[in-house]
Amino acid sequence: MVRSDNSQLPPNGDFVLPFDIARAGVRGRLVRLDLASARALAAHALPEAANRIAGETLALSAILGTALKLDGRLTVQTKSDGPLDLVAADYYGDEDGKERGVRGFARIDESRFAALGHPGFTDLVGKGSLAITIEPRRGGNSYQGIVALSPDGIAASAETYFMQSEQLPTVLRLAAAPLYVAGEKQPHWQAAGIMLQMTPESAKPGAAPEDMQTSDDWQRLSLILKTVEDLELLDTSLAPERVLWRLFHEDEVRVQPALPVAFRCDCAPDRIAQVLKSYAPEERAGLVDPDGIIRARCEFCGTTHEIAPGSLD
């Protein structure tokens, strides 16, 4: 394994680690979220099965956002007809002194979920779509790609997105799991993932995506990636470079500097106030609590913002 510079080894949690296997024309990213995912998923009371999907979506947003070197926001969102009808994860690029970060939200119909027993992915989400929205902060146009949700999960849905939107063979493994700590009532949720993708430069001119997938190197590396265990991805006591060494020790893997990722929510009272100003006075009056204050709870971080109606005039 080769490091691209003399930087220190990556931390064991809350990072995205870019890497590539240049000889095979393949690039990749390994993400492991610890405190960031715990904070993001602690804002919502969800059943364990639903939290796993929310955690995987959070990890996917970090992989995609850092791959694009985005200075704005990337949103991964599912909409479907199952009990877990909405899952959203935002990735924010680093900007104006703010660190790159993620946040997430999921909505579930508790009564429909209770009737499921031990649900799988399709039981929870039903039929629906996965949307990836890119909103650059400076320059460039917003973009949204939408694919149908795969019954095989979030990772499989994202693989389809890449084949349709970028026509690049991509393989993903995502994982999320609760860590139970003695003395704490609520579990500490961790999320992780790893992605391999063929680079545009490795494709022969005019080659179709299905032709690129048949290369010997790609097939071999894809099969190897599928052997990674959830515990290997999630275990913060296991150095990420050891994971890559276990998977790709027969290839020359070049590791780039790790990118730290934190929990980040950009909700703010002034933004909520701007939305409320668009409401008619009688509509705002219906939102006022008995003590004369309008309270708006952020669905992502759980913060309740208090706004005096007089400040909206």
Side-chain angles (χ1 to χ4, degrees):
M1 183 175 296
V2 178
R3 296 194 63 78
S4 62
D5 63 1
N6 295 320
S7 61
Q8 296 180 345
L9 293 175
N12 286 357
D14 293 321
F15 66 87
V16 175
L17 183 66
F19 63 91
D20 63 69
I21 304 172
R23 181 188 60 80
V26 171
R27 61 191 176 192
R29 298 207 161 225
L30 189 156
V31 59
R32 183 180 290 157
L33 302 177
D34 183 27
L35 298 178
S37 53
R39 175 66 182 85
L41 298 178
H44 323 289
L46 292 172
E48 184 172 308
N51 254 336
R52 289 184 187 276
I53 296 173
E56 290 181 2
T57 307
L58 204 66
L60 177 61
S61 73
I63 288 177
L64 300 184
T66 56
L68 292 171
K69 301 178 181 178
L70 190 67
D71 69 345
R73 181 172 67 176
L74 178 143
T75 300
V76 180
Q77 180 173 298
T78 70
K79 285 187 176 180
S80 58
D81 60 5
L84 187 66
D85 65 340
L86 175 66
V87 179
D90 287 333
Y91 164 85
Y92 292 98
D94 54 340
E95 55 175 292
D96 298 335
K98 295 181 179 179
E99 55 193 345
R100 67 179 60 82
V102 292
R103 66 177 189 172
F105 167 70
R107 183 177 64 198
I108 192 166
D109 185 319
E110 294 284 358
S111 60
R112 293 176 65 193
F113 173 80
L116 292 178
H118 299 284
F121 179 79
T122 304
D123 300 318
L124 273 172
V125 302
K127 294 182 179 179
S129 60
L130 173 77
I132 296 175
T133 307
I134 301 167
E135 301 172 277
R137 193 169 67 93
R138 289 188 295 267
N141 298 318
S142 296
Y143 164 84
Q144 184 177 74
I146 302 176
V147 296
L149 279 171
S150 166
D152 295 323
I154 297 296
S157 303
E159 289 172 359
T160 301
Y161 163 81
F162 275 109
M163 285 295 289
Q164 292 186 3
S165 66
E166 298 189 20
Q167 296 190 320
L168 291 174
T170 303
V171 60
L172 276 156
R173 283 279 286 108
L174 299 171
L179 174 65
Y180 292 90
V181 180
E184 296 185 11
K185 294 183 178 180
Q186 299 300 321
H188 175 115
W189 273 89
Q190 297 171 306
I194 187 169
M195 177 182 77
L196 280 185
Q197 185 176 70
M198 291 195 74
T199 62
E201 298 79 14
S202 66
K204 294 179 180 179
E210 54 269 23
D211 296 330
M212 296 167 66
Q213 285 183 298
T214 61
S215 76
D216 291 341
D217 277 334
W218 176 253
Q219 287 190 332
R220 177 177 61 85
L221 293 171
S222 298
L223 289 173
I224 290 173
L225 188 87
K226 294 293 186 180
T227 69
V228 70
E229 300 288 343
D230 287 3
L231 184 59
E232 291 180 283
L233 293 174
L234 294 164
D235 186 1
T236 55
S237 68
L238 181 63
E241 291 191 338
R242 286 190 61 188
V243 177
L244 295 179
W245 173 256
R246 202 278 287 175
L247 293 171
F248 308 119
H249 60 273
E250 294 182 356
D251 301 272
E252 185 174 302
V253 181
R254 183 173 58 183
V255 178
Q256 300 173 23
L259 307 171
V261 179
F263 172 79
R264 174 176 159 187
C265 186
D266 281 4
C267 68
D270 57 337
R271 295 183 181 181
I272 297 173
Q274 287 299 318
V275 174
L276 290 173
K277 286 180 180 180
S278 66
Y279 288 25
E282 56 272 19
E283 292 178 309
R284 294 203 299 261
L287 301 175
V288 177
D289 286 341
D291 61 357
I293 299 295
I294 296 176
R295 291 177 173 84
R297 184 180 185 274
C298 175
E299 296 288 1
F300 285 92
C301 67
T303 301
T304 298
H305 299 282
E306 298 185 351
I307 301 169
S311 66
L312 302 176
D313 297 332

